[in-house]
Amino acid sequence: MRGHHDGHSGRMSEGCGAMEAGVSPTFSPFTKMASVALKGLVVPHFLPESCYDEFFVRFNLMHIPCLKILISKGLGFAIIAGSVMVKLPQILKIVGARSAEGLSFYSILLELLAITATMTYSIANSFPFSSWGEALFLMLQTVTIGFLVQHFGGRTGRGLTFLLVYFGALSVLLSPLSSMAVVTALQASTMPAVIISRLLQAATNYSNGHTGQLSAVTAFLLFAGSLARIFTSVQETGDPLMALTYVVSSTCNGIIMGQLLYYWNVPVDKRKKE
């Protein structure tokens, strides 16, 4: 018994000596597999490898540059997740009322131009998906709204033509036929397009004396998303043109939000009664 005890103590002493000498402790195969799986999930989608090492190897959780990256990535993916359904309330409101009253088709076209420009510019510059991914889902939903405006306005044929022309133009923009100069010029046109589209919608609201079938939920989500995108575009792309675009977009979306609050209790058929 004593010999066994001495042998056990000796092995413990050797293990402690190894740890004191700076030798890494042995991990089980399961722990190693879990570590590799975690790293594969996090790097490079949420963090670069250097930040992964700061957080999960050195346990330096207050590393400010890496915290900024993590917050930016988290916000970016949250915006993308929200964008999947951000305009769904607007679509359901139009379909439920079988009317697109109060929505300006020209405003929708200009908004679609701005979304398409951001998407094609980001793809051309190989920006991370987390910095622009919501543009893809916003594009699909905005195209749907544009068609519904035409359809419920009794112009279904024009709506189908609109779909064919748009997706044809998008295919050209995403192909090698479009140079970087063209894509950059399109992105530069985003700011005036956003301003004019929102002013057109604001003018329509003012002229009608109400916001019609405009969805407050959609307007709020667009406003909040564009505000968050100011930070993520600066952090992830470093592109001043992208950041300025979202500053302008936030300001214009704020105007529409202000109108929704101002006309909150005004019935849609107010002007009709007058």
Side-chain angles (χ1 to χ4, degrees):
M1 290 289 291
R2 183 176 179 182
H4 176 74
H5 178 73
D6 290 344
H8 180 66
S9 300
R11 284 193 297 272
M12 287 182 64
S13 299
E14 288 174 5
C16 292
M19 291 180 67
E20 289 174 1
V23 178
S24 299
T26 303
F27 292 104
S28 68
F30 176 78
T31 304
K32 289 182 179 180
M33 287 174 62
S35 177
V36 170
L38 176 64
K39 189 171 184 178
L41 178 66
V42 172
V43 180
H45 307 294
F46 290 94
L47 289 171
E49 189 166 358
S50 58
C51 287
Y52 176 88
D53 290 342
E54 287 290 342
F55 288 153
F56 297 101
V57 177
R58 302 183 187 93
F59 298 105
N60 181 13
L61 302 180
M62 298 306 294
H63 191 274
I64 301 303
C66 290
L67 277 176
K68 286 183 178 180
I69 293 173
L70 182 61
I71 292 170
S72 178
K73 290 285 187 182
L75 275 175
F77 283 116
I79 292 169
I80 293 170
S83 73
V84 173
M85 295 188 297
V86 70
K87 292 197 173 188
L88 187 59
Q90 181 68 80
I91 293 170
L92 293 177
K93 194 170 184 180
I94 294 171
V95 173
R98 299 191 66 80
S99 167
E101 182 182 1
L103 274 73
S104 167
F105 182 68
Y106 294 108
S107 172
I108 291 168
L109 284 180
L110 287 170
E111 183 182 2
L112 189 57
L113 170 64
I115 293 169
T116 305
T118 297
M119 184 173 69
T120 54
Y121 181 75
S122 300
I123 293 172
N125 282 283
S126 300
F127 291 151
F129 185 72
S130 59
S131 70
W132 64 269
E134 78 279 4
L136 173 62
F137 301 106
L138 289 176
M139 176 271 290
L140 294 172
Q141 293 167 81
T142 304
V143 166
T144 302
I145 291 171
F147 171 76
L148 291 174
V149 168
Q150 294 296 325
H151 174 66
F152 288 117
R155 301 177 295 272
T156 304
R158 188 183 295 182
L160 291 172
T161 302
F162 156 67
L163 293 177
L164 290 172
V165 171
Y166 174 75
F167 283 110
L170 180 62
S171 298
V172 172
L173 286 171
L174 293 175
S175 73
L177 295 174
S178 297
S179 66
M180 192 63 196
V182 171
V183 174
T184 302
L186 186 64
Q187 176 64 15
S189 71
T190 294
M191 282 176 281
V194 168
I195 293 170
I196 295 170
S197 73
R198 289 296 180 261
L199 289 179
L200 281 173
Q201 184 62 61
T204 299
N205 296 339
Y206 178 78
S207 176
N208 291 339
H210 58 73
T211 54
Q213 300 304 324
L214 200 63
S215 168
V217 175
T218 294
F220 172 75
L221 290 174
L222 289 172
F223 176 58
S226 57
L227 277 177
R229 270 293 175 222
I230 297 172
F231 171 73
T232 62
S233 59
V234 170
Q235 183 66 37
E236 293 198 53
T237 70
D239 191 306
L241 188 58
M242 287 280 284
L244 186 57
T245 297
Y246 287 116
V247 169
V248 171
S249 180
S250 298
T251 303
C252 294
N253 285 330
I255 293 172
I256 301 300
M257 271 301 302
Q259 284 191 314
L260 278 161
L261 294 173
Y262 182 76
Y263 293 120
W264 189 262
N265 294 316
V266 178
V268 174
D269 59 351
K270 173 180 178 290
R271 284 303 178 98
K272 290 181 180 178
K273 290 179 180 178
E274 292 176 354

